[in-house]
Amino acid sequence: MAEEYPINVNVKVYNEGIGNAFRKVAELGQKKEWTKLLETIDGDPQLINSCALVEKNTAHTLNTPLHHAALGSAPKEVFEQLLEMGSAKCLKNLAGETAYDIAAKSQLSQDILKLIEVPKEIKRKEAIIAKLEEGLHKVILGRVENLIKENGQALPQVAYLFEKGEFYYAVPGMYGGFRVTKNGDKGIVSSSWIRVCGGSGQEHEIDNDGNTKLVNEGFV
């Protein structure tokens, strides 16, 4: 089963309880309350790669708990527990920084840097991943650009696929989303559908140069 990509949207898209949960995780990270942060995530594992939702007069930061640990120079044990819970090392914040980038600038210990180093495959394929991401975003916007804008939704980072495996990117209001998988060495495949609309399925292949091709449609 594909892992759900940690989407980030305007707070109004979700109910108050979800918005509060995302906000709490971000606030605990900002306040360096590591024990409470870990306890909160342990109680709701889906928060492990969460970011504060966008509220009035604020913008995306895309700082995950791992980013907050790096920003707050957390002890090594905090990084270890976050990784055990499923923190993604590859995710970048709005400034384009991974937790490793932040930790390196802050001169955290080599032990911590080794723990949170971005997987070698992702670093080796950085240019290709950027092209794949460009193509995937084109496919998503081609289907639901209006909803992405309405939701204030951050588009997915393809590096996540190379660290965590295939993922499902849900789009609130679409009643469906995009399942993203590898296509061998040729690129990636995006399968998308709207659950309440029979025959809405579309499958796109995206090659390593970011070119997109509709290869199948009309499925449920």
Side-chain angles (χ1 to χ4, degrees):
M1 185 177 179
E3 180 166 335
E4 188 152 346
Y5 187 87
I7 65 171
N8 191 265
V9 294
N10 289 327
V11 69
K12 65 180 182 180
V13 174
Y14 287 135
N15 65 46
E16 186 177 355
I18 294 176
N20 288 341
F22 279 58
R23 187 185 304 110
K24 180 180 180 181
V25 168
E27 288 177 350
L28 290 173
Q30 290 163 356
K31 294 176 180 178
K32 305 181 184 182
E33 296 187 22
W34 310 124
T35 300
K36 289 182 179 179
L37 173 66
L38 294 169
E39 289 174 349
T40 300
I41 295 171
D42 189 48
D44 187 354
Q46 291 187 351
L47 295 171
I48 186 59
N49 289 305
S50 67
C51 310
L53 301 182
V54 181
E55 302 192 42
K56 188 176 181 180
N57 299 323
T58 67
H60 289 292
T61 66
L62 300 184
N63 284 324
T64 68
L66 198 65
H67 284 99
H68 286 298
L71 287 163
S73 300
K76 178 184 175 184
E77 293 74 19
V78 172
F79 288 96
E80 289 174 333
Q81 290 183 61
L82 287 172
L83 291 172
E84 286 176 8
M85 291 176 172
S87 279
K89 304 173 186 179
C90 67
L91 290 175
K92 295 179 179 180
N93 62 14
L94 192 64
E97 295 178 317
T98 64
Y100 177 89
D101 295 329
I102 295 168
K105 285 197 308 184
S106 300
Q107 298 183 320
L108 300 192
S109 73
Q110 286 299 312
D111 285 346
I112 289 175
L113 292 177
K114 287 178 182 178
L115 275 176
I116 62 175
E117 188 174 9
V118 174
K120 288 183 173 58
E121 181 186 17
I122 293 174
K123 292 193 290 186
R124 188 174 67 249
K125 294 183 175 180
E126 188 172 12
I128 290 174
I129 288 172
K131 290 291 187 182
L132 293 171
E133 192 170 282
E134 182 181 319
L136 177 61
H137 292 178
K138 189 185 300 182
V139 168
I140 293 170
L141 294 175
R143 291 215 74 178
V144 289
E145 183 173 9
N146 60 326
L147 283 174
I148 295 296
K149 289 181 176 179
E150 183 180 325
N151 294 339
Q153 186 162 345
L155 292 166
Q157 299 177 29
V158 169
Y160 193 82
L161 174 68
F162 289 83
E163 180 176 354
K164 295 293 188 178
E166 64 183 68
F167 66 79
Y168 176 70
Y169 175 75
V171 179
M174 182 182 178
Y175 303 103
F178 299 78
R179 181 172 176 266
V180 183
T181 61
K182 290 182 182 179
N183 190 18
D185 294 327
K186 297 185 293 184
I188 61 177
V189 175
S190 165
S191 298
S192 57
W193 59 90
I194 303 167
R195 292 189 183 93
V196 296
C197 184
S200 64
Q202 289 187 355
E203 185 175 291
H204 290 82
E205 289 183 353
I206 302 161
D207 68 22
N208 292 328
D209 291 318
N211 300 308
T212 66
K213 180 180 180 182
L214 179 63
V215 295
N216 190 15
E217 63 180 330
F219 54 89
V220 177

